[in-house]
Amino acid sequence: MSRKTSRLARASVAIALAACVMGADTASPVVIQLRVVEGEGTVYAVGSRATRGLMIKVSDENGKPVDSAAVSFQLPADGPSGVFGGGIKTAIVNTQPDGMATVWGMQWNKIPGPFQITVTASKGPARSSLVVPQFLSDAKTAPGEGKFTASHHSRNKWLLIGAIGAGAAAGLAFRGSLSKTTVGAAPSPTALQIGNPSIIVGHP
């Protein structure tokens, strides 16, 4: 083999290796992961519009950001929910080079209660999804976009249980008072007792 042919062979191998490396960098990830960066458990007033919204980060199996992944945000079809721009229930956003996808401006309906936004990301064959809890409040002094915790459920539940318990206690107290009043108004009759006659004998 001539020296020129050898050089061409080495150059071809180098180009092939570079192409493999570039192809590996641009290939679709095997696994993608989703993480909520902002907007999880947010409380909105019924009928309001989201001004912060929801931010999701998409990364691969090594934790590196995934660029140009398609991220779908799906709102519930009924119950507490809302719509994205154009009155639709689904919004699709592509991630930026930092792996971030953001959606906001949702118009909420006037049905209070908890709900979930379903988030699904995909790139090539890789696909992943999660659900993000949200809450619509009809309180007169709604805090706006605050944090939603389980207390929104448990507080109402325990208030209801407390009201039932208080009602039951009041009923028992009323029944006890009624029983005492009845007993006092109708005392049991006293039995007539007759003892043995006594005879006293004294001096005339």
Side-chain angles (χ1 to χ4, degrees):
M1 179 182 295
S2 66
R3 184 175 299 177
K4 183 177 180 179
T5 303
S6 178
R7 288 177 181 174
L8 289 174
R10 287 197 298 269
S12 298
V13 171
I15 292 172
L17 289 174
C20 290
V21 171
M22 292 177 63
D25 289 341
T26 58
S28 297
V30 177
V31 176
I32 56 177
Q33 308 172 73
L34 304 183
R35 181 171 65 87
V36 181
V37 177
E38 184 178 348
E40 183 174 13
T42 305
V43 179
Y44 297 96
V46 294
S48 66
R49 184 180 293 275
T51 58
R52 287 208 312 264
L54 190 59
M55 180 183 290
I56 301 293
K57 182 173 183 179
V58 183
S59 56
D60 63 14
E61 63 273 16
N62 297 315
K64 295 177 59 178
V66 176
D67 185 17
S68 301
V71 182
S72 168
F73 298 86
Q74 177 70 50
L75 293 169
D78 50 24
S81 184
V83 292
F84 295 104
I88 58 176
K89 295 285 187 179
T90 303
I92 299 177
V93 180
N94 288 334
T95 57
Q96 300 298 315
D98 59 1
M100 299 294 187
T102 305
V103 66
W104 62 280
M106 296 80 81
Q107 178 63 54
W108 306 116
N109 64 19
K110 296 184 178 181
I111 304 175
F115 66 99
Q116 294 178 330
I117 299 177
T118 302
V119 182
T120 303
S122 61
K123 184 169 184 180
R127 183 184 178 90
S128 182
S129 63
L130 56 75
V131 292
V132 184
Q134 307 281 274
F135 193 89
L136 293 184
S137 171
D138 62 350
K140 296 297 183 182
T141 56
E145 297 180 0
K147 288 296 181 182
F148 165 57
T149 63
S151 62
H152 283 84
H153 296 292
S154 59
R155 183 173 181 272
N156 292 337
K157 181 179 73 173
W158 290 116
L159 282 176
L160 178 60
I161 293 175
I164 294 174
L172 289 175
F174 176 75
R175 290 178 60 186
S177 175
L178 183 61
S179 299
K180 292 178 182 178
T181 303
T182 303
V183 171
S188 59
T190 303
L192 181 61
Q193 296 181 353
I194 301 175
N196 295 325
S198 59
I199 301 175
I200 302 174
V201 179
H203 295 281

